[in-house]
Amino acid sequence: NLLTWCDKKKAKWYLRKGRATLIKEEEGRLTIKLDFQPKGPGVVGNPFYTQPKENKCVVCGALDNLTRHHVVPHCYRRNFPQELKAYCSHDVLPLCHSCHEEYEVHAEKFKKQLFDEANIDTKEVDREAYLSSSAALLLNKSIDIPTHKRESHLSTIKRYLGRKHITESDLASLIKDRPNSYDLLMSRVSDFEGFAKKWRSHFLRYAQPKYLPPYWTEEGRWS
């Protein structure tokens, strides 16, 4: 069975570890056979994952200066359930640098829209999250913080507290379970599949890709 396509580095890892046998090498592509029984069928039967991928910009077709674009940004996907994270490659597409930059302008506006709809004050939320992490870092004696970074953290906390001198008790008072704005937003999401589809629809609308891989859909693996 054809389980999936992967990059050559991963294929060579299986070979190096003695967990696969080389079947053939053709036009720079390796075909390997696993020497063990996988825990599950993987993506067998899903045509998107079992097709070879082309290294060209899915928007304009350029072959050079390619970057990896995460259709559902990592700042959101890291909060997805594990079973959905496993299929994130559906949302990683090659874009040339120019098309990537052009689309990110629209993506940033969409992020702001999502925060506004959730009534999240990103500046306040992220400031509190930063203060908490900075205080925890300064109190951690096992970490050797460069002097300039330590002073930067201290200066920010002093301004926030309105004091010239701060104590360890002051730092401890700032340490709380304070998620950043992205994590807070995702804590309010119940339909992760629907959330991912919103981003895919947004990408289709504003990037207008002309060279998407066959079988790529807005529904992802759930279609």
Side-chain angles (χ1 to χ4, degrees):
N1 292 320
L2 174 59
L3 295 181
T4 188
W5 288 77
C6 66
D7 59 33
K8 186 180 291 186
K9 182 179 179 180
K10 186 173 183 179
K12 287 185 175 181
W13 181 89
Y14 280 107
L15 294 171
R16 188 171 65 253
K17 294 293 183 179
R19 308 193 71 187
T21 300
L22 178 64
I23 303 300
K24 66 178 180 179
E25 182 171 3
E26 191 175 68
E27 296 181 353
R29 290 176 172 172
L30 304 178
T31 299
I32 66 172
K33 179 181 178 181
L34 299 182
D35 292 336
F36 62 93
Q37 184 64 37
K39 292 182 179 180
V43 293
V44 172
N46 187 320
F48 176 80
Y49 289 99
T50 53
Q51 67 176 322
K53 307 297 191 303
E54 292 187 80
N55 284 321
K56 68 178 180 181
C57 177
V58 299
V59 174
C60 70
L63 302 176
D64 300 319
N65 299 317
L66 298 180
T67 63
R68 288 185 176 184
H69 173 64
H70 294 77
V71 179
V72 181
H74 177 69
C75 55
Y76 301 116
R77 185 176 284 281
R78 67 186 182 191
N79 289 283
F80 276 31
Q82 188 58 44
E83 63 269 20
L84 302 188
K85 288 182 182 179
Y87 290 83
C88 65
S89 62
H90 181 88
D91 294 317
V92 180
L93 299 172
L95 262 68
C96 70
H97 185 73
S98 178
C99 289
H100 204 165
E101 282 198 333
E102 186 174 338
Y103 173 71
E104 283 303 314
V105 173
H106 300 288
E108 288 302 315
K109 291 179 180 179
F110 189 42
K111 288 179 182 179
K112 183 179 184 306
Q113 177 186 325
L114 293 173
F115 285 130
D116 290 343
E117 291 174 353
N119 196 29
I120 293 176
D121 183 343
T122 57
K123 289 185 179 180
E124 181 63 24
V125 170
D126 289 339
R127 181 180 68 166
E128 291 186 356
Y130 175 80
L131 289 168
S132 180
S133 62
S134 291
L137 183 64
L138 292 171
L139 286 174
N140 192 334
K141 306 298 184 182
S142 65
I143 300 179
D144 185 18
I145 310 172
T147 302
H148 70 283
K149 288 189 176 181
R150 176 179 290 276
E151 290 302 318
S152 176
H153 287 299
L154 285 172
S155 178
T156 300
I157 291 175
K158 287 177 181 179
R159 287 198 303 271
Y160 175 74
L161 296 177
R163 300 176 188 174
K164 292 183 178 180
H165 304 285
I166 57 175
T167 65
E168 290 192 353
S169 295
D170 294 327
L171 293 176
S173 69
L174 295 173
I175 300 177
K176 298 178 181 179
D177 184 14
R178 300 182 181 186
N180 62 36
S181 53
Y182 293 107
D183 294 341
L184 179 59
L185 174 64
M186 294 310 294
S187 70
R188 301 177 183 179
V189 173
S190 57
D191 181 8
F192 292 97
E193 295 177 17
F195 185 85
K197 186 176 179 180
K198 280 185 180 180
W199 273 99
R200 296 184 190 117
S201 298
H202 185 273
F203 179 71
L204 291 178
R205 179 179 180 184
Y206 289 95
Q208 297 183 6
K210 301 177 181 64
Y211 302 95
L212 282 171
Y215 308 108
W216 192 91
T217 68
E218 293 177 74
E219 290 78 13
R221 76 179 184 95
W222 306 283
S223 59

